[in-house]
Amino acid sequence: MLHHQNISRRRLIKTLFCSSVAMKLNLSHSVLAENSNAPSALELLAIGDFGSGTEAQFATARGMARYANGLKRKTDGILFLGDNFYGPMPSGTKSERWKTGFSDPYPAEVFPGPCWAVLGNHDYHDTAGNEVTQLNYAASLDRKTRWTMPGKYYRVDLPANRPQITFLMIDTNHEAINRHVHSDGDMSDPFWMSAEEQAAQSEWLENQLISSRAPFTVVVGHHPIYSEGSHGD
């Protein structure tokens, strides 16, 4: 029957997994009633694998701007899901690509909220040390910036007053993943989290998951658990 309906075993497992997650939310009536009086809905955009600098990036950005301009309010922020910059990024925190690849396609007048970013494999791989550059960019300026990456992993609760959702922003660049993705490239220098960093992040994540959080929690990372893309799960 599964074959006849063109439903793979893998797809069935994914469906059951997602359904189980939804059931595990188990929100009580009191929580739902309390949240019925919450502030208006958040308007967030999310984009990943975008930092090519090509026309495709700018076309997508224009589509995001059209959506944002059509709202009756300003967006609350953007989630940058990694691979924020492909290819060379000379001059580090002073690179022209901060303008051409960030502030120009996603201008503050259209997207005034914070831009919460996580790291992708190309942020590590394509320019040595670029993951550190992205972490240090905000601190390198003498002015406020929307670019928000206080660490390789961090927490965001929205809205700040009576949060309705908790984002746990994590770094998924582990050696086993990035070696596989870049198996045809230079492996002379590590371009992934160290074992010590991974252990510290895992401990942090476990502590967050047992801590007090908003009614909904979303874990944000570059590499998906399930993917129909060429890299697989």
Side-chain angles (χ1 to χ4, degrees):
M1 181 175 69
L2 291 178
H3 177 74
H4 176 71
Q5 294 181 355
N6 196 28
I7 301 176
S8 68
R9 180 182 178 186
R10 178 167 167 271
R11 183 175 298 178
L12 176 63
I13 292 172
K14 288 195 293 185
T15 302
L16 292 174
F17 173 81
C18 294
S19 299
S20 298
V21 171
M23 292 170 63
K24 284 291 185 180
L25 286 172
N26 193 28
L27 297 178
S28 68
H29 293 294
S30 61
V31 170
L32 291 173
E34 178 184 346
N35 291 332
S36 66
N37 297 318
S40 59
L42 293 164
E43 287 287 352
L44 299 171
L45 296 166
I47 184 171
D49 297 83
F50 62 94
S52 64
T54 65
E55 172 56 23
Q57 178 181 2
F58 291 101
T60 303
R62 290 193 295 271
M64 293 167 61
R66 286 194 296 272
Y67 171 81
N69 288 328
L71 298 173
K72 295 181 180 179
R73 47 163 295 183
K74 294 293 186 181
T75 56
D76 294 287
I78 305 177
L79 299 172
F80 285 160
L81 307 182
D83 286 355
N84 310 310
F85 296 98
Y86 287 96
M89 193 168 178
S91 304
T93 57
K94 298 185 182 300
S95 174
E96 179 67 13
R97 294 194 67 184
W98 287 106
K99 180 178 185 297
T100 60
F102 171 50
S103 58
D104 283 355
Y106 316 104
E109 57 268 25
V110 180
F111 309 104
C115 297
W116 298 283
V118 296
L119 295 164
N121 48 289
H122 283 275
D123 298 313
Y124 274 87
H125 174 269
D126 292 9
T127 301
N130 191 34
E131 76 281 5
V132 178
T133 292
Q134 294 188 40
L135 287 166
N136 292 343
Y137 177 66
S140 73
L141 302 176
D142 58 1
R143 56 179 173 80
K144 187 176 180 180
T145 176
R146 292 167 298 139
W147 181 266
T148 306
M149 190 188 286
K152 290 187 175 183
Y153 48 93
Y154 57 98
R155 172 172 170 163
V156 179
D157 292 287
L158 297 174
N161 181 31
R162 297 182 67 200
Q164 300 302 302
I165 188 165
T166 295
F167 290 103
L168 301 177
M169 316 289 285
I170 66 171
D171 189 332
T172 61
N173 291 283
H174 295 182
E175 180 176 0
I177 295 174
N178 286 9
R179 274 192 179 274
H180 168 69
V181 172
H182 297 282
S183 58
D184 58 345
D186 181 12
M187 295 287 180
S188 58
D189 294 316
F191 46 92
W192 45 74
M193 297 181 83
S194 68
E196 292 76 17
E197 287 176 318
Q198 289 183 44
Q201 176 176 250
S202 293
E203 181 178 1
W204 174 85
L205 183 57
E206 288 192 16
N207 288 334
Q208 294 299 318
L209 292 173
I210 62 175
S211 71
S212 176
R213 289 171 280 119
F216 295 94
T217 297
V218 176
V219 180
V220 178
H222 178 64
H223 300 92
I225 297 175
Y226 295 119
S227 173
E228 298 293 348
S230 61
H231 296 310
D233 299 339

